[in-house]
Amino acid sequence: MEDVLSKKSPFIGEKIRLRAVEKSDLDDIMKYWNVYESRVGLGTIIPMSSMMEEDFIKHTHESAKSQKAYYFAIENKETNEFLGTCGMEDFDWTARSGVLGLSIHNPENHNKGFGSDVMKCLLNFGFNFLNLNRIELCVIEYNKRAIHIYEKLGFKEVGRKREAHFLQGTYNDIIVMDILKREFDL
Ligand SMILES: CC(C)(COP(=O)(O)OP(=O)(O)OC[C@H]1O[C@@H](n2cnc3c(N)ncnc32)[C@H](O)[C@@H]1OP(=O)(O)O)[C@@H](O)C(=O)NCCC(=O)NCCS
């Protein structure tokens, strides 16, 4: 009991804080969400409208209520700047498995350690709060920065969807990676 109370929140990292996505985040989401350099990492570059993002915000609320998925806004812990969104979805409550994703929207905020910190929080949340045993993600083969942080945290490649993605006239493999609870070292 005492041990539980002395542990820190999974939603607060060294540099970031995760919180619920709010209606008031819409303007911040729209600021950098359609920036090519960031969206290319996710593989979908078609511009998204504020109406689509309003739907996303509603979806974050509805899916949390039904426990189908959990999405969070990412904030800079020091400045409270909105950095992006992340989440965990596609749960299999029998195999205790889930899928995670994240995006730091403004390319000027890349390579500052925010993404690694978000990943640590999400993994801690998934394994120690949702009691998952396995967490999966997909990454396009050219997203070397993302692959680097996933491998550093203990994710392993489990397979490739060969040439499953197409961008700028080129087919790319989608790499499926996963990590098990026993491999996670906070
Ligand atoms: C991918 C993403 C989440 C990474 O977060 P980030 O905050 O930029 O990354 P961090 O600063 O925490 O870590 C970057 C690491 O990658 C390394 N890196 C940077 N560019 C690299 C490259 N081209 N190849 C290999 N490693 C690279 C850095 O040296 C650093 O490594 P270190 O921690 O060992 O020093 C972020 O860039 C992002 O949101 N990109 C756009 C959307 C996206 O691609 N989402 C992921 C989809 S799978």
Side-chain angles (χ1 to χ4, degrees), residues 111-163:
N111 269 322
K112 292 182 176 172
F114 295 127
S116 304
D117 208 18
V118 171
M119 286 294 295
K120 285 182 204 160
C121 290
L122 282 178
L123 291 173
N124 185 20
F125 172 61
F127 288 135
N128 296 320
F129 291 79
L130 296 180
N131 198 19
L132 298 178
N133 181 53
R134 175 180 174 274
I135 295 177
E136 178 182 311
L137 57 79
C138 285
V139 58
I140 304 168
E141 62 179 334
Y142 57 68
N143 198 346
K144 303 291 185 205
R145 181 169 49 231
I147 294 168
H148 174 83
I149 67 171
Y150 302 152
E151 284 176 342
K152 208 170 71 173
L153 289 166
F155 277 85
K156 291 183 172 57
E157 178 175 331
V158 290
R160 274 175 186 251
K161 298 182 194 178
R162 293 176 305 146
E163 301 188 6

Side-chain angles (χ1 to χ4, degrees), residues 29-97:
I29 291 175
M30 293 311 294
K31 236 186 242 173
Y32 298 106
W33 181 222
N34 288 313
V35 173
Y36 180 83
E37 290 75 16
S38 283
R39 286 285 296 285
V40 77
L42 299 165
T44 55
I45 56 144
I46 296 171
M48 296 182 74
S49 66
S50 55
M51 281 88 81
M52 287 160 122
E53 290 313 304
E54 264 172 17
D55 286 350
F56 167 70
I57 292 172
K58 267 192 216 130
H59 174 66
T60 67
H61 168 70
E62 283 153 11
S63 55
K65 277 209 304 192
S66 59
Q67 299 185 322
K68 288 212 165 107
Y70 295 101
Y71 301 98
F72 305 105
I74 308 164
E75 278 183 351
N76 181 324
K77 206 169 98 175
E78 298 257 297
T79 63
N80 298 330
E81 178 192 2
F82 175 92
L83 297 174
T85 55
C86 64
M88 198 142 343
E89 58 195 9
D90 290 340
F91 297 117
D92 177 332
W93 293 118
T94 306
R96 305 221 65 85
S97 172

